Amino acid sequence: MKPSSAAIETQQVGFAYGDVPVLEDVSVRVEAGEFLGLVGPNAGGKSTLLKLILGLLSPQQGQIQVLGRTPKQARRHLGYVPQYPAFPREFPIQVLDVVLMGRLGLAATPWHRVGGWRRADREIARRTLADVEAGDLAAAPIGALSGGQLQRVLLARALVGEPEILILDEPTANIDQRLEGEIFELLSQLNDHLTIVVVSHDIGFISSYVSRVACLNRTLICHRTEAIDGDVINDLYGERVRLINHAHGGNQGHAEHG
Amino acid sequence: MAEFFNALVQHGFLQQALVAGLLASIGCGLIGPFVVVKRITFLAGGIAHSVLAGMGAALFYGYDPLSGALAAAVVAALLIGWVRLRWRTGEDTAIGALWAIGMAVGILFVSQTPGYATDLMSFLFGNILLVPTRELGFMAMLDLVLLVTVALFYRHFVAIAFDDEFARLRGVPVDFFYLLLLVLVAVTVVLMIQVVGLILVIALLTLPAAVAGQWTRTLAGMMIGATLIGALLTSGGLALSYAPDLPTGPTIILLAGALYLVSAMTASVRAKRRARRALRATTTP
């Protein structure tokens, strides 16, 4: 496979957990600067595709390139916001120290790899927290945050490593709609200088923010920029869904299982 | 208690015991918090108990038992770490098996070594009053190893303890640091064996850190707290056990257990009181 000029390119990727196929023949190309929404039903393989792009899993079929390299080589240029925090909430750590972990692996010299954080790292972490409007949380223990605050902190942790691509897995699954809008406004701004891939099950809502939507249910069902109509949603979810007007204005539909 | 202080001034062996306790508490402080927050108490217990294999073999072949303990602890740590990384399912069974097999091997070696039955008791339950001077030097060296390693790689250890998937994405060699952390646990176990014995090590490794964790919000605070609490417990246990001539190791552990219970109860009462106060503050404008 020749080095690809795309930010992310997967070619005929297949993956199975044991003998359960999760992804089949997935070819998707994400250009630099795009804001791709990856939608699909639960267990449709969205999180698995992200893990393959991040190099946490290896494809059993096909190939993946990220920034023209293998996922593992490109890893440090990626920022990742997980769906569920993988850490225990009672872990004794303050928000600033959580955010700083996003700067691991950026050491300029071997000497910077050992010992404590440098002043410059702390300053960048503080600034990034302020950028996601969580500057006042720096000294808070991680266990004291609300769902929305935690989401902002996780976003800061992903951004503080100065990534070229930001990957988010259901970033707004655990927060209310008003905050969801704020987070996506923030992502729109970040899209000015970052490629973004965001996984969501909320097809109508994200389509007002993203530049393109890819629908995944084991394989890619649609892959388009034009508006998503009821037929596509029916194809994707395999059942009748109803479109309702979304509270965020605009003429976009909001998909719900009906 | 006064009797203890008089004796402490007069007897070199008591002073040495006190120093041994203080050296061991540095291990409580540096490594205990990682064992607690990473929830690897069971792994640490497995490492501690399988150390008996190395001590028994060293005795049988005429080597220094503590060197045997160090070798066995490092091997056990790497073996248990490998089991953990390879066989995620069935991990606890495999660790339980290593735990028991290590002890069985050790006891067989000890039983075949003539005249060492009393040593077996001090391996299992510690004998702080019989720490020779050269072993204090050995303990200080182990402390230095712990201190330097933790100071160099503190960020990495915190990262793998907190969120190993994210650490992996940042290019941290997670498996390497996980195994290194277990090796440091092994070193700490050896450091504490002389004080409380390998059966009781697990309490000294986890309880001071757990108590400190109930009162602080950062890992660094937990480390300082656990070191101080460890020093208090080993010195206090030594003082309490001296006059009635009780075995020191078990006295230290009972003291640790009592402190843990009191601290857990106080912390939960305090949390409830805080919650009530917070609710009152919101209902009365």
Side-chain angles (χ1 to χ4, degrees):
Chain A
M1 191 170 172
K2 277 191 296 189
S4 160
S5 60
I8 300 169
E9 183 163 18
T10 75
Q11 288 188 346
Q12 284 127 35
V13 164
F15 187 84
Y17 289 109
D19 51 5
V20 184
V22 185
L23 293 174
E24 281 175 89
D25 193 26
V26 175
S27 299
V28 62
R29 188 180 158 96
V30 183
E31 301 298 338
E34 264 200 282
F35 188 162
L36 180 80
L38 189 60
V39 299
N42 288 334
K46 302 180 303 264
S47 296
T48 304
L49 184 58
L50 289 196
K51 290 206 161 131
L52 288 164
I53 292 169
L54 291 162
L56 289 171
L57 297 172
S58 300
Q60 286 138 356
Q61 279 171 2
Q63 295 183 59
I64 299 177
Q65 280 198 11
V66 180
L67 300 167
R69 282 164 275 185
T70 67
K72 272 187 190 168
Q73 287 166 344
R75 220 177 231 175
R76 285 174 210 196
H77 305 282
L78 268 53
Y80 174 54
V81 179
Q83 180 175 8
Y84 302 107
F87 46 84
R89 291 294 295 273
E90 74 275 11
F91 197 100
I93 192 165
Q94 292 173 325
V95 163
L96 189 70
D97 289 311
V98 173
V99 174
L100 275 165
M101 284 182 202
R103 291 196 64 79
L104 283 167
L106 290 179
T109 65
W111 180 241
H112 283 86
R113 251 174 241 153
V114 296
W117 290 108
R118 304 304 189 270
R119 185 190 297 259
D121 290 313
R122 292 180 178 280
E123 262 162 35
I124 292 169
R126 268 180 216 286
R127 213 180 310 140
T128 313
L129 266 177
D131 288 345
V132 299
E133 289 161 37
D136 52 337
L137 297 176
I142 194 79
L145 304 186
S146 68
Q149 289 172 328
L150 183 62
Q151 216 56 47
R152 284 170 193 278
V153 169
L154 294 180
L155 185 58
R157 180 178 72 163
L159 291 172
V160 79
E162 294 158 18
E164 289 174 46
I165 304 175
L166 187 61
I167 292 180
L168 306 99
D169 192 356
E170 302 265 12
T172 55
N174 306 309
I175 60 182
D176 65 45
Q177 277 197 354
R178 188 180 58 79
L179 283 171
E180 186 176 18
E182 287 177 17
I183 297 256
F184 271 90
E185 289 296 339
L186 196 62
L187 293 181
S188 295
Q189 289 169 26
L190 290 167
N191 186 223
D192 290 345
H193 60 277
L194 279 178
T195 310
I196 300 182
V197 175
V198 59
V199 156
S200 178
H201 59 276
D202 190 346
I203 191 171
F205 177 65
I206 68 161
S207 55
S208 51
Y209 293 97
V210 300
S211 53
R212 191 159 59 101
V213 171
C215 322
L216 189 68
N217 189 4
R218 186 136 38 115
T219 188
L220 277 182
I221 290 179
C222 59
H223 193 206
R224 57 170 81 189
T225 46
E226 63 260 42
I228 289 166
D229 58 21
D231 284 345
V232 171
I233 296 172
N234 280 346
D235 283 350
L236 176 62
Y237 288 88
E239 58 185 286
R240 230 174 61 75
V241 283
R242 81 198 138 96
L243 287 167
I244 58 167
N245 255 349
H246 202 273
H248 293 273
N251 50 5
Q252 307 293 340
H254 178 75
E256 281 186 1
H257 292 262
Chain B
M1 200 55 83
E3 191 185 338
F4 170 74
F5 286 111
N6 288 334
L8 185 62
V9 178
Q10 285 169 11
H11 300 304
F13 76 93
L14 263 188
Q15 293 160 12
Q16 291 201 3
L18 194 70
V19 172
L22 295 176
L23 287 172
S25 52
I26 294 176
C28 294
L30 287 175
I31 302 303
F34 286 111
V35 173
V36 171
V37 299
K38 185 114 179 101
R39 297 179 184 165
I40 51 171
T41 304
F42 185 61
L43 266 77
I47 295 172
H49 286 74
S50 40
V51 158
L52 191 61
M55 295 184 96
L59 263 188
F60 183 78
Y61 292 110
Y63 293 101
D64 170 40
L66 272 194
S67 319
L70 186 60
V74 171
V75 170
L78 293 175
L79 207 58
I80 284 175
W82 178 76
V83 164
R84 169 76 227 273
L85 295 172
R86 286 277 131 202
W87 295 346
R88 295 221 169 227
T89 55
E91 168 200 341
D92 56 341
T93 311
I95 292 168
L98 280 171
W99 178 315
I101 291 167
M103 292 209 78
V105 169
I107 288 170
L108 285 183
F109 270 121
V110 172
S111 75
Q112 296 308 304
T113 313
Y116 276 109
T118 47
D119 274 338
L120 182 60
M121 284 300 280
S122 68
F123 292 166
L124 296 182
F125 302 106
N127 201 339
I128 196 174
L129 296 177
L130 291 180
V131 184
T133 317
R134 70 183 158 80
E135 263 172 29
L136 290 181
F138 182 68
M139 290 174 77
M141 196 190 71
L142 296 183
D143 274 330
L144 192 69
V145 169
L146 295 178
L147 201 63
V148 169
T149 317
V150 171
L152 283 178
F153 301 115
Y154 178 74
R155 284 182 289 178
H156 300 83
F157 287 130
V158 175
I160 65 154
F162 180 67
D163 186 345
D164 53 359
E165 183 184 71
F166 189 82
R168 197 182 296 276
L169 289 176
R170 294 310 312 160
V172 174
V174 170
D175 292 351
F176 170 79
F177 279 108
Y178 183 71
L179 291 176
L180 184 59
L181 182 62
L182 291 189
V183 167
L184 294 188
V185 169
V187 168
T188 312
V189 163
V190 175
L191 180 64
M192 291 176 175
I193 278 180
Q194 197 71 42
V195 179
V196 290
L198 57 89
I199 289 190
L200 304 180
V201 152
I202 201 65
L204 198 54
L205 194 55
T206 55
L207 293 182
V211 170
Q214 283 159 349
W215 304 97
T216 171
R217 289 169 165 189
T218 64
L219 203 60
M222 215 168 151
M223 292 174 131
I224 294 167
T227 308
L228 295 177
I229 293 167
L232 194 78
L233 290 172
T234 51
S235 313
L238 186 63
L240 281 179
S241 65
Y242 182 73
D245 196 21
L246 295 170
T248 311
T251 309
I252 292 172
I253 298 308
L254 278 184
L255 205 58
L259 180 67
Y260 177 68
L261 274 180
V262 171
S263 166
M265 283 190 291
T266 325
S268 92
V269 167
R270 190 184 61 150
K272 276 190 197 134
R273 198 178 296 152
R274 269 195 185 168
R276 265 201 301 272
R277 200 179 306 144
L279 282 176
R280 259 204 307 276
T282 52
T283 47
T284 53

